[in-house]
Amino acid sequence: MTGIPADRAAAPLRRGRGRGDRLFHSGVTAAGTVVVLVLLATVVFIVIKAWPAVSHYGPGSFLSSDRWAPSDAVANQADPNPYGILQFLYGTLVTSAIAMVIAVPVSIAVALTITDVAPQRLRRPLSALVDLLAAIPSVVYGIWGIFALIPALRPFGDWAATAFDGIPVLGTVFSGPFSGVSYFSAGVVLAIMVLPIVTAVCREVFATAPCAEKESAYALGATRTEMLRMAVLPRSRSGIVGASVLGLGRALGETIAVTMLIGDNVLSITRSVLGQGATMPSVIANEFTEANQPFHLSSLFVVAGCLLALALVVNALGRLIVRRTGENIA
Amino acid sequence: MATHFASRPEAEPRPGGPGLRRRMATDMVGTGVLWLATALTVGVLLWVLGYAAVQGFRYLGPEFLTSTPPGDPSRAGGGFLNGIIGSLIVVGLATVVAVPLGVGAAVYVVEYGGRLARAVDFLTDLLIGIPAIVTGAFVYALWVTRFGFSGYAGAISLALVMLPLIVRATAEILCLVPRDLREAGLALGVTPARTIVSVVLPTAMGGITTGIMLAVARAMGETAPLLLTALGNDLFVETHPDHRMSTLSLQIFSNAITGFEAAQARAWAGALTLVILVLLCTAVARFVARRSSVTGAR
Amino acid sequence: MTYGNRNPLDSLDPTAMKEPKMPPTAPPVDQQAAARFAPARLDVVDLTASYRGLPAVADVSLTIEPHRVTALIGPSGCGKSTLLRCLNGMHLMAPHATVTGQVLLGGTDIYDPRVNPIEIRRRVGMVFQRPTPFPTMSIRDNVLAGVHLGRRRGRGTHDDLVEQALMRAGLWKEVRNRLKAPGGGLSGGQQQRLCIARALAVEPEILLMDEPCSALDPISTLVIEDLIKEIRETCTVVIVTHNMQQAARVSDTTVFLNVEYAGVPGRLIEAGPTEQIFNAPQQRATEDYTSGRFG
């Protein structure tokens, strides 16, 4: 999950001299090279496809507008860029933030339960159940979100829409009406989808807390929660951050469930989390195969490029943090 | 020594220690919160699975599994036969492509080492993090612009989704194969390639199969990249991957968002079918893992 | 009470001994401290401790007198560490661990379901084989780790408490100028003394030490041995050691456990004044072990 630690990797085999050996070696080297090539090619092809729109409108114009109106686009004319993507960036960040706010504390709690609280014989089944959450396909979460989750969230949404009226920041964030499909609904489903990932990494991190330190805490007369706060959580701090960042990476790129639950409002930023919006993946999923306006498809590749950059940065960061904690602890 | 005790800030009555009762209560509350979060998580899982089962079984039946959707999505009846067949073809092709590449790359990372190998190791992590929809856009640019929407394009995109998952899972398992086994092989004068093929890989076979099954489960449920590559085809059973093709996941998506009750019923039946397929893959993966010589003991 | 007759310290019926009496040979104890702080007597009665139903140590009965250093010795696998961990209930923290019999702390069975194990662990502290300072905490916070439990932070600075505990652990002079530094930065011997200070700061009646010097160099070992003799003035010490010279040097009472072969539980063979165990043992096995013939 967190890369191959140097000491666990097998000794590099000497390259054999026989023909079979050379053939095998070049075979697996080629396979390894494919991995590198795939990543490079993804970047290159997306940039190539995004290039027409970027060079026509200028790179800054995409990030300075929150209005995405393909029907305004006119070919071969220097008109203002109708493809603003700020609202998608905003939607992606807001839904991911909602997901993280819900998922991270719950994941920490679930991971602690599995590693330190649950009776020994419940630990394996519990982690298997949580892992099952990751196995359920995105599209199933989407349809479940529409028909089961949104009706269940409605009472809370309606309450929040009126409860914070007049309060400066909260009033705007929760201004009504609750539209059902919304940032909030998408964020909640994202939280459920991210939860098993964050839990799995947290579980591994918590499991590395040395038994001796836990016993020391108990020997000082600590209760179980005091032991967790003393011997498990402090040393896991950066691991938890890494796990959260990895979860965030997953949340940013999640497509179908969000597409089904966010409402596809591409024309502006909706301030309220109870309102409809769009994310970078959702606009690609919704418009890609029907992009028929000038620079429409190319602009979608601009969105894909931004999403790719964001995902790569966030994931690289998360992996580095998790990897480094792994080394420090071991 | 006496001064040491006289200078204690507050004399607490022994036994018990300070605030023992409050501490026990805090502990109870804390433990309760941990259990509550866990119960909530398991509850959501059961809610999703249970809801899908209840809604899905309303329509899931022989007709659903043996017919294609009606031309008019608002009409009742019909099924996702074309999607099921499409899923099997596309995922099957993707597996055929991804498994040798993934296992090969993992062998390269673990068994040969070196700078490129470490780069592959890290890039695998990055590839796992690439959103599937971006992979779909990449395959569109690479393939669809030249050869059009097709099952092949869909298979390539799914293979790219599966590839890093298989590399990662296989590499982790290969690391668990004891070094002695390799050295024993080499000491007998067997060539490195033979050692890997006939000693290391068979030992790790169970774990590798687990990784592959989990990747297959993931690909089976993947929808986003297929939207941009296989496109979907709701009209008839298409078995030639050179043409645009439907998959189970695509059909669930397109039927769920129609707003017609009949289409939604089909979507739910499809969702249940998909969940069952995916859980079957996961169950097989876990079963194999438990029996595997390397991971079983963990 | 299988071995009860052989145990000279166990000649009295433990249930009749509610009031701990200072043994005549006990070192002089500060009266005020004793009055405030008198450690309770510890009686082990027919104790059997098992993992997954397999007894690791069986049928042990012995008495641990206050203000004494008791050493548990024996070959590896004889269950001496398990026995030690039974004395404050830590044994039950391990998965699939069970205990039968009684451990009476001042007459109260610590395994009585009505007794709060947390209270017991505060009265009976423990130091482990490897030093285990909490790596994210400073030296000061490490010392206060147990003290802070259940107290609202920031209530009193506890500076004097930190100083006392570190003085008693013989570490004060070395760390007084870097109390804010992380505990993991100390040497192995200093870390172990920090752990002792941490245990002492809670002011336990009894301190259990599980091979506290086995991971340390000879000089640190000597420092800690001297420390043990001082600690005895305020609290009872029970130490597990595989080092017979160490047992002879630091302990007042020695308990010898033995195991006949792997797979059977360890048993108490002989307990008595250290002098006697090393010079005039009554059991053949004890003599063989202390004279270095096995183990």
Side-chain angles (χ1 to χ4, degrees):
Chain A
M1 180 127 280
T2 57
I4 307 301
D7 58 318
R8 247 176 68 202
L13 294 174
R14 274 175 300 116
R15 236 175 271 183
R17 291 195 207 115
R19 232 185 86 202
D21 262 332
R22 266 181 284 138
L23 209 66
F24 186 77
H25 182 252
S26 32
V28 296
T29 311
T33 316
V34 167
V35 172
V36 181
L37 284 182
V38 165
L39 190 70
L40 286 180
T42 305
V43 174
V44 168
F45 272 86
I46 294 218
V47 168
I48 288 177
K49 280 286 174 182
W51 187 249
V54 172
S55 63
H56 183 78
Y57 293 115
S61 62
F62 288 95
L63 286 168
S64 57
S65 154
D66 65 351
R67 181 180 156 81
W68 175 272
S71 52
D72 294 355
V74 184
N76 306 322
Q77 208 175 312
D79 56 331
N81 184 357
Y83 299 108
I85 64 169
L86 269 186
Q87 72 283 32
F88 305 138
L89 196 62
Y90 176 85
T92 297
L93 294 181
V94 167
T95 48
S96 304
I98 295 171
M100 300 320 289
V101 165
I102 300 171
V104 170
V106 176
S107 297
I108 294 173
V110 174
L112 283 177
T113 310
I114 292 173
T115 54
D116 289 290
V117 177
Q120 212 74 29
R121 67 203 148 76
L122 276 184
R123 291 183 184 179
R124 259 175 163 244
L126 271 182
S127 40
L129 282 179
V130 176
D131 285 345
L132 261 193
L133 273 179
I136 295 173
S138 176
V139 68
V140 175
Y141 277 117
I143 185 172
W144 173 80
I146 295 174
F147 294 103
L149 184 69
I150 288 181
L153 288 179
R154 192 166 284 287
F156 173 79
D158 290 341
W159 170 82
T162 52
F164 300 105
D165 244 356
I167 303 169
V169 177
L170 287 177
T172 319
V173 171
F174 289 105
S175 63
F178 178 56
S179 58
V181 286
S182 61
Y183 294 115
F184 180 62
S185 309
V188 172
V189 166
L190 272 185
I192 298 169
M193 300 178 73
V194 162
L195 198 136
I197 296 165
V198 183
T199 305
V201 182
C202 280
R203 216 167 57 200
E204 287 186 13
V205 172
F206 294 155
T208 60
C211 206
E213 274 172 40
K214 293 187 197 171
E215 290 199 329
S216 300
Y218 279 132
L220 288 171
T223 61
R224 182 157 47 199
T225 45
E226 283 165 350
M227 180 282 288
L228 295 175
R229 289 224 321 256
M230 209 186 261
V232 178
L233 286 179
R235 64 184 305 132
S236 307
R237 212 162 281 161
S238 58
I240 293 171
V241 172
S244 311
V245 175
L246 286 181
L248 179 65
R250 176 73 197 273
L252 293 173
E254 184 45 54
T255 308
I256 286 299
V258 174
T259 305
M260 294 165 89
L261 291 171
I262 197 156
D264 196 29
N265 166 20
V266 299
L267 289 172
S268 65
I269 288 179
T270 313
R271 286 246 174 76
S272 167
V273 299
L274 304 177
Q276 306 187 4
T279 65
M280 297 197 273
S282 82
V283 73
I284 300 173
N286 272 326
E287 299 190 7
F288 200 89
T289 49
E290 289 152 17
N292 43 20
Q293 302 299 320
F295 299 108
H296 193 173
L297 190 62
S298 182
S299 299
L300 285 170
F301 271 100
V302 174
V303 178
C306 292
L307 179 60
L308 177 62
L310 196 62
L312 286 182
V313 168
V314 167
N315 273 287
L317 203 68
R319 293 288 169 194
L320 287 177
I321 296 172
V322 170
R323 230 177 239 210
R324 225 188 35 207
T325 25
E327 280 163 16
N328 284 349
I329 287 169
Chain B
M1 278 286 161
T3 52
H4 291 173
F5 303 108
S7 63
R8 283 194 64 183
E10 51 205 300
E12 277 105 11
R14 263 188 201 284
L20 185 62
R21 222 170 231 221
R22 185 167 53 79
R23 290 175 52 211
M24 298 296 290
T26 314
D27 185 52
M28 288 253 288
V29 172
T31 311
V33 168
L34 296 184
W35 274 114
L36 184 72
T38 310
L40 201 72
T41 304
V42 175
V44 166
L45 174 74
L46 297 180
W47 186 13
V48 175
L49 293 180
Y51 201 88
V54 169
Q55 296 290 331
F57 275 125
R58 282 197 188 149
Y59 186 64
L60 186 57
E63 188 194 352
F64 177 80
L65 296 172
T66 55
S67 57
T68 55
D72 172 4
S74 64
R75 281 216 333 261
F80 284 177
L81 177 66
N82 49 344
I84 295 169
I85 289 178
S87 273
L88 295 179
I89 292 174
V90 174
V91 174
L93 283 173
T95 310
V96 168
V97 176
V99 166
L101 279 178
V103 174
V107 166
Y108 180 66
V109 168
V110 178
E111 305 292 338
Y112 288 95
R115 189 176 290 178
L116 179 62
R118 256 170 290 143
V120 172
D121 188 31
F122 185 69
L123 293 185
T124 302
D125 283 343
L126 285 190
L127 270 187
I128 292 177
I130 291 186
I133 187 92
V134 174
T135 304
F138 162 57
V139 175
Y140 177 91
L142 176 82
W143 189 274
V144 176
T145 47
R146 258 153 262 179
F147 310 106
F149 295 105
S150 66
Y152 285 129
I156 294 173
S157 66
L158 290 190
L160 295 185
V161 169
M162 292 171 73
L163 176 66
L165 298 176
I166 294 176
V167 178
R168 172 57 57 242
T170 308
E172 293 210 331
I173 297 303
L174 288 180
C175 283
L176 293 179
V177 175
R179 189 178 281 203
D180 308 358
L181 269 181
R182 298 181 177 87
E183 282 165 3
L186 292 179
L188 286 172
V190 184
T191 63
R194 273 239 148 262
T195 309
I196 294 169
V197 172
S198 49
V199 178
V200 179
L201 285 180
T203 313
M205 193 47 84
I208 295 174
T209 313
T210 301
I212 292 172
M213 290 313 289
L214 290 177
V216 167
R218 173 79 185 277
M220 195 82 85
E222 203 56 80
T223 315
L226 296 174
L227 273 176
L228 318 188
T229 51
L231 193 62
N233 168 7
D234 264 0
L235 300 176
F236 50 89
V237 175
E238 176 64 77
T239 51
H240 198 291
D242 207 17
H243 301 128
R244 52 182 281 196
M245 223 175 203
S246 201
T247 69
L248 194 48
S249 56
L250 281 175
Q251 284 191 308
I252 298 167
F253 177 62
S254 58
N255 279 268
I257 58 175
T258 53
F260 301 118
E261 233 163 78
Q264 286 165 0
R266 282 192 295 272
W268 273 115
L272 181 59
T273 314
L274 184 57
V275 166
I276 291 171
L277 282 176
V278 166
L279 290 191
L280 271 180
C281 287
T282 314
V284 170
R286 288 206 160 261
F287 179 71
V288 175
R290 192 156 294 181
R291 296 195 40 186
S292 142
S293 49
V294 190
T295 51
R298 269 207 289 198
Chain C
M1 298 283 272
T2 320
Y3 289 89
N5 302 340
R6 293 174 191 163
N7 187 348
L9 294 177
D10 199 26
S11 50
L12 286 167
D13 178 10
T15 49
M17 287 281 296
K18 288 290 180 201
E19 297 258 320
K21 266 201 294 186
M22 218 56 74
T25 52
V29 173
D30 183 282
Q31 284 308 304
Q32 196 186 346
R36 184 92 170 253
F37 212 58
R41 209 177 105 132
L42 199 60
D43 295 289
V44 179
V45 184
D46 275 344
L47 187 84
T48 299
S50 316
Y51 295 101
R52 291 179 188 276
L54 296 174
V57 58
D59 304 326
V60 172
S61 293
L62 85 149
T63 295
I64 289 160
E65 297 288 349
H67 293 298
R68 297 266 207 132
V69 177
T70 303
L72 306 182
I73 62 168
S76 46
C78 72
K80 52 192 191 296
S81 284
T82 304
L83 174 59
L84 187 80
R85 293 164 62 87
C86 286
L87 300 185
N88 69 343
M90 282 298 285
H91 175 66
L92 291 186
M93 306 304 295
H96 309 292
T98 50
V99 168
T100 60
Q102 290 177 308
V103 174
L104 302 163
L105 178 62
T108 315
D109 183 9
I110 70 167
Y111 292 110
D112 186 321
R114 285 166 299 180
V115 171
N116 189 335
I118 289 164
E119 190 188 318
I120 298 301
R121 294 202 297 269
R122 275 185 97 79
R123 290 175 68 188
V124 185
M126 192 160 188
V127 173
F128 297 85
Q129 194 167 351
R130 298 195 157 274
T132 54
F134 297 122
T136 52
M137 293 185 195
S138 66
I139 293 174
R140 194 191 130 83
D141 288 347
N142 259 293
V143 174
L144 291 176
V147 179
H148 270 322
L149 289 174
R151 263 184 244 215
R152 289 178 191 89
R153 288 284 159 107
R155 204 168 132 209
T157 56
H158 299 305
D159 281 338
D160 46 349
L161 203 84
V162 174
E163 185 178 338
Q164 277 163 38
L166 286 170
M167 293 248 274
R168 290 171 73 191
L171 193 60
W172 174 246
K173 280 184 188 144
E174 293 157 64
V175 301
R176 62 194 300 175
N177 293 323
R178 44 173 172 151
L179 292 175
K180 295 258 164 66
L186 299 172
S187 75
Q190 288 173 325
Q191 286 188 10
Q192 190 63 298
R193 278 181 284 152
L194 178 60
C195 292
I196 294 174
R198 183 174 68 189
L200 289 176
V202 188
E203 300 190 349
E205 295 169 45
I206 300 172
L207 186 63
L208 309 178
M209 304 177 103
D210 189 356
E211 303 199 21
C213 304
S214 65
L216 304 182
D217 58 278
I219 294 180
S220 304
T221 302
L222 277 182
V223 172
I224 288 184
E225 285 180 7
D226 288 342
L227 197 61
I228 291 170
K229 291 177 204 155
E230 279 173 32
I231 293 172
R232 169 172 71 171
E233 292 181 19
T234 51
C235 84
T236 312
V237 176
V238 185
I239 178 171
V240 164
T241 178
H242 61 264
N243 179 337
M244 275 173 291
Q245 285 74 34
Q246 185 170 61
R249 282 192 298 265
V250 302
S251 70
D252 306 304
T253 307
T254 297
V255 177
F256 174 62
L257 294 103
N258 198 7
V259 60
E260 293 187 16
Y261 46 88
V264 301
R267 288 175 188 278
L268 189 152
I269 302 299
E270 189 171 358
T274 301
E275 192 100 327
Q276 178 194 320
I277 295 290
F278 281 91
N279 296 332
Q282 278 154 22
Q283 298 291 319
R284 180 68 198 266
T286 315
E287 191 180 351
D288 286 350
Y289 183 72
T290 53
S291 59
R293 242 164 279 173
F294 80 100

